[in-house]
């Protein structure tokens, strides 16, 4: 049964990727048609054609290899051979801002899709507490030694510090013994060194409340800071951490907007660190331990989706789909050919160049000769292909798996 759910999760995640690709190309199609450009073909996939149909002047279809797609617009560059009847509708004859909108439409579609996924997640399973906020999820009836069992029925005389002090689910701890607290990790670290009556300040319904918690010492197994575990006496108050936040439909919108901003920042940071993580992928292929922070391919992402489905971690599954859309959207805007961002850069360069020439009393310059940019384009394609091959290989021989 677990294997079946895992396979189903892999297929569902792969289907989500395929839908994202289809919508990416649909963004190009929709905006190009809206501006009156001629779109001759819209296909999902590459390789041999499975089927197609024609509606108006556009052929729509599906190809055998579900690894991308394309939207063919007449006259993408001035070098293209365009029929005289279609020249007014050719891409290169449109205003620059229209060309930029069409080129950016694919990435914008990914951003919209990612936001909508987060919005649904916020209203259903909840958005992850990605800032590690010290918000309380549950107040346990007591605290006791690890030898008894942290979830076992309370032993006679077992202390209930959080319950007795009046802490409630939803409280956000802001200070302990006068020390400001901003994360759950920080709260745990401070609490473990406490003993006896201690002032806890919490934010409750927008107001700050001060409570006195009588912190007991209990025997717990904790990390020793060297990668191992040790048993020691630590302070504990009997609370659990709020891992996800669920929102009403009205509150979900600003929450999803804020979370989207965080994902953009993290996506950009990840892209900037991408080159330095490639050696770790090579090491993993050679049998080294696979670093959880190494890049993964769609194969690896789909396998993680299967693992998440098998464990019932649907919030993580959905969050991965949203993250994938943000990553592809941002990556596709990098100013490198043949990415959409590279074409945008060329068109903006032509606009700025012609503006400068106009100020100098000169006519507009000739369109950029894409043939001269081919060597750079081939380099980008080669590097991209090599990285893809590396990550796919690593995801097959030494994949990242959920623990």
């Amino acid at each position: 049964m677990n294997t079946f759910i895992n396979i189903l999760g892999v297929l569902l995640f792969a289907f989500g990727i395929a839908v994202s690709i289809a919508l990416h190309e649909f963004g190009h199609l929709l905006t190009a048609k809206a501006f009156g450009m001629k779109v001759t073909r819209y296909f999902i996939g590459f390789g041999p054609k499975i089927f197609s149909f024609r509606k108006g002047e556009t052929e729509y279809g599906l190809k055998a290899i579900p690894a991308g797609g394309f939207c063919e617009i007449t006259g993408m560059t001035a070098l293209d051979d365009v029929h005289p009847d279609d020249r007014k509708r050719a891409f290169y004859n449109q205003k620059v801002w229209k060309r930029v909108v069409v080129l950016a439409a694919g990435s914008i579609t990914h951003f919209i899709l990612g936001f909508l996924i987060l919005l649904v997640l916020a209203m259903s399973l909840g958005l992850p507490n990605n800032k590690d906020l010290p918000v309380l999820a549950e107040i346990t009836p007591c605290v006791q030694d690890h030898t008894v069992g942290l979830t076992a029925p309370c032993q006679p005389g077992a202390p209930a510090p959080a319950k007795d002090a009046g802490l409630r689910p939803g409280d956000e701890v802001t200070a302990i013994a006068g020390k400001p607290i901003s994360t759950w990790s920080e709260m745990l670290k401070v609490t473990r060194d406490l003993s006896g009556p201690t002032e806890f300040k919490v934010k409750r319904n927008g107001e700050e409340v001060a409570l006195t918690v009588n912190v007991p010492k209990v025997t717990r197994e904790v990390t020793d800071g060297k990668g191992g575990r040790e048993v020691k006496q630590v302070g504990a108050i009997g609370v659990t951490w709020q891992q996800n936040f669920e929102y009403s439909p009205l509150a979900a919108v600003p929450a999803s907007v804020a979370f989207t901003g965080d994902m953009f920042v993290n996506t950009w940071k990840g892209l900037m660190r991408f080159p330095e993580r490639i050696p770790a992928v090579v090491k993993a292929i050679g049998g080294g331990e696979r670093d959880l922070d190494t890049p993964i391919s769609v194969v690896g992402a789909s396998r993680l989706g299967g693992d998440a489905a098998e464990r019932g971690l649907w919030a993580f599954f959905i969050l991965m789909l949203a993250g994938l859309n943000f990553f592809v959207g941002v990556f596709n805007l990098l100013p490198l050919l043949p990415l959409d961002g590279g074409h945008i850069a060329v068109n903006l360069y032509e606009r700025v160049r012609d503006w400068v020439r106009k100020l100098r009393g000169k006519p507009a310059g000739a369109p950029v000769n894409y043939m001269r940019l081919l060597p750079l384009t081939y380099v980008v394609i080669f590097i991209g292909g090599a990285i893809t091959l590396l990550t796919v290989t690593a995801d097959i021989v030494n994949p990242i798996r959920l623990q």
Side-chain angles (χ1 to χ4, degrees), residues 124-387:
S124 55
L125 301 174
L127 294 175
N129 185 355
N130 65 323
K131 294 185 178 179
D132 196 28
L133 297 176
V135 178
L136 309 184
E138 181 185 359
I139 309 302
T140 60
C142 67
V143 294
Q144 47 197 2
D145 293 343
H146 80 287
T147 53
V148 176
L150 303 185
T151 59
C154 294
Q155 300 295 304
K163 180 180 178 182
D164 293 342
L167 287 169
R168 301 176 186 174
D171 286 348
E172 180 178 351
V173 178
T174 58
I176 300 176
K179 176 182 175 60
I181 298 296
S182 58
T183 67
W184 174 256
S185 302
E186 189 178 16
M187 175 183 163
L188 285 180
K189 184 178 179 180
V190 171
T191 303
R192 285 171 179 169
D193 294 331
L194 297 176
S195 180
T198 307
E199 183 186 66
F200 277 63
K201 288 185 178 180
V202 300
K203 186 188 296 182
R204 180 183 295 169
N205 299 324
E207 298 181 358
E208 189 173 69
V209 179
L211 301 168
T212 299
V213 182
N214 189 13
V215 184
K217 287 287 189 180
V218 294
T219 304
R220 292 286 169 84
E221 188 180 33
V222 298
T223 58
D224 59 7
K226 301 177 182 179
R229 308 282 293 178
E230 63 178 341
V231 176
K232 62 185 298 187
Q233 289 279 310
V234 298
I237 63 172
V239 294
T240 61
W241 177 58
Q242 185 74 47
Q243 298 185 46
N244 296 283
F245 298 114
E246 295 183 27
Y247 299 90
S248 67
L250 188 62
V253 175
S256 298
V257 169
F259 200 90
T260 296
D262 292 338
M263 292 199 75
F264 269 122
V265 171
N266 292 334
T267 298
W268 181 250
K269 289 180 178 178
L271 277 174
M272 293 300 98
R273 294 177 52 238
F274 195 91
E276 68 186 50
R277 292 184 291 169
I278 295 301
V281 176
V282 177
K283 182 179 179 182
I285 294 174
E289 183 178 355
R290 184 72 185 271
D291 188 343
L292 297 178
D293 198 32
T294 53
I296 62 173
S297 66
V298 292
V299 174
S302 297
R303 292 185 71 162
L304 279 176
D307 287 349
E310 183 179 347
R311 290 163 173 76
L313 302 175
W314 291 107
F316 178 73
F317 181 97
I318 296 171
L319 189 65
M320 280 191 12
L321 277 177
L324 179 70
N325 275 281
F326 289 124
F327 176 82
V328 173
V330 172
F331 180 80
N332 198 53
L333 289 178
L334 292 177
L336 300 170
L337 289 171
L339 301 176
D340 289 337
H343 291 284
I344 291 174
V346 170
N347 280 274
L348 292 178
Y349 162 76
E350 288 182 346
R351 182 68 183 89
V352 172
R353 179 203 61 189
D354 291 346
W355 176 73
V356 172
R357 289 177 66 89
K358 184 178 180 181
L359 290 178
R360 298 171 62 187
K362 296 183 178 182
V368 168
N369 189 341
Y370 275 81
M371 296 300 293
R372 294 181 179 179
L373 298 176
L374 278 180
L376 180 61
T377 302
Y378 290 147
V379 169
V380 173
I381 293 174
F382 175 78
I383 294 175
I387 292 175

Side-chain angles (χ1 to χ4, degrees), residues 50-72:
I50 298 177
F51 76 90
S52 70
F53 64 93
R54 180 171 294 277
K55 185 176 181 182
E57 61 189 11
T58 306
E59 181 186 10
Y60 301 83
L62 179 68
K63 297 204 170 190
I65 305 174
F70 61 91
C71 174
E72 193 173 276

Side-chain angles (χ1 to χ4, degrees), residues 25-43 53-60 70-74 76 89-91 94 98-99 101-103 105:
E25 298 302 328
F26 186 74
H28 294 312
L29 173 79
L30 191 65
T31 50
K33 283 183 172 291
F35 290 140
M37 303 177 195
K38 184 174 182 178
V39 181
T40 55
R41 292 196 299 166
Y42 170 79
F43 272 80
F53 64 93
R54 180 171 294 277
K55 185 176 181 182
E57 61 189 11
T58 306
E59 181 186 10
Y60 301 83
F70 61 91
C71 174
E72 193 173 276
I73 305 171
T74 297
M76 283 299 294
R89 301 177 61 197
F91 179 86
Q94 309 303 310
K98 291 183 178 180
R99 286 182 262 162
V101 169
V102 172
L103 290 168

